[in-house]
Amino acid sequence: MSVVDISSLFRRSHNFQWYWNSKADPSSYNDKWMKYTDIENEIIEDAFDTHRKEVEIDGGYIIDLAQLVQYSNMNNNTRQQIKRIASDSKTTANIHLREERFSSPISLVSTSPDKTIENKEKNKIRLQLLRGTVHFPSSYLWFITSRNATFADIVEEAAHGIMKEGTDIGKKREAEWLASKLLSVKHYGEGIDRLHDDGIPGEIGRMCVLLYTTDSFLFKSINCVLRDTENITRKRLNILGPFSALLSFYLEQIQTIGVDTVYRGINLTDEERYNYMNQHAIHYLSFYIYEHESRISKHVW
């Protein structure tokens, strides 16, 4: 993908939302329009902008842009209407909060140290030390300290991890879109060592933020790992570690301007409440994104 394509992705107004009609009875007048997910919407919009007649999304569905219908590639007799709606910037009529993302339970750092290290082999010790800590993103770099990996190398490994994860969970099309966008900024990291004084190239960092804040399997998979550190495996580290490391690099590097106070209620165990009262701090096990309700803006924390 060219640099021009990257610019168009960052600058796209995202003022259009695609819907599909989920009514069970095609003859019924009671339409029930459902939004496509963020990435499905992007895939369809990309195809629409390039004047393609059809495009496939996950689940084996074909989007027919000529007839404005969707159907299963296993049964094209059942067709459902689709439509494209322009969002009105003056209202929030067609803007929706992603409740699943912003109301999921928060997991905190375990305060019980892990004392069960039995295998003294270097990598297994490192993995054991990783469990129960908040250092999953940077731990990937810990495992590759013997390599002179550039940011371009890490981007490529992150893209491979996204493809592996998406294919394994039946989200191949979504993974292809995510990986292609990430690889489109790979060249910005060519020849730049991860320990370079200037840090991660901004183009790579901003793309990671964009992809993570997009509603997809990626943020769910990463947060699932970070919320269950006791069961982290080397395989999960290889798949999700590269992207997590890139995102973490960028978030630590950028300066936050205009910090707002954000409140969120959580349920604490007696142990967590005791530790909070003594330490006056809570450590989260994953990246968190808070959404301003009136403007529907996203902030990565």
Side-chain angles (χ1 to χ4, degrees), residues 101 104 134 136-138 212 218-219 222-223 226-227 240-241 243-252 264 284-290 299-301:
R101 181 164 194 157
S104 58
V134 294
F136 176 79
S138 59
Y212 184 79
L218 183 58
F219 87 87
I222 290 176
N223 282 4
L226 296 179
R227 294 170 183 176
L240 299 173
F243 183 88
S244 298
L246 291 171
L247 180 59
S248 181
F249 260 136
Y250 185 64
L251 296 182
E252 292 173 0
R264 175 168 181 172
Y284 299 115
L285 281 176
S286 46
F287 305 109
Y288 281 95
I289 299 164
Y290 296 90
H299 304 276
V300 180
W301 287 46

Side-chain angles (χ1 to χ4, degrees), residues 102-208:
F102 296 102
S103 60
S104 58
I106 294 180
S107 297
L108 307 178
V109 176
S110 171
T111 56
S112 302
D114 188 355
K115 300 178 181 179
T116 62
I117 299 177
E118 298 177 357
N119 193 318
K120 299 302 180 181
E121 185 179 342
K122 184 191 298 183
N123 281 351
K124 291 186 178 180
I125 291 177
R126 289 177 173 178
L127 191 61
Q128 192 70 31
L129 290 173
L130 164 64
R131 293 170 177 163
T133 74
V134 294
H135 302 297
F136 176 79
S138 59
S139 63
Y140 160 76
L141 302 176
W142 194 13
F143 276 95
I144 63 169
T145 51
S146 61
R147 294 166 42 195
N148 295 321
T150 65
F151 280 112
D153 296 327
I154 300 175
V155 166
E156 186 167 356
E157 291 186 12
H160 283 308
I162 289 171
M163 281 302 306
K164 171 64 176 171
E165 180 74 2
T167 301
D168 286 349
I169 63 175
K171 294 288 185 179
K172 184 178 180 181
R173 302 298 179 187
E174 193 170 293
E176 289 173 344
W177 188 89
L178 290 165
S180 69
K181 300 308 178 187
L182 185 57
L183 288 172
S184 73
V185 296
K186 172 185 172 181
H187 62 283
Y188 288 105
E190 296 286 358
I192 302 179
D193 186 88
R194 67 182 186 277
L195 300 178
H196 193 274
D197 290 340
D198 293 334
I200 183 173
E203 293 82 1
I204 294 176
R206 289 194 298 274
M207 181 61 74
C208 287

Side-chain angles (χ1 to χ4, degrees), residues 21-32 78-81:
N21 197 338
S22 65
K23 64 180 180 181
D25 183 2
S27 62
S28 171
Y29 291 101
N30 298 320
D31 291 337
K32 188 176 181 181
T78 301
R79 300 187 170 219
Q80 297 163 306
Q81 291 178 305

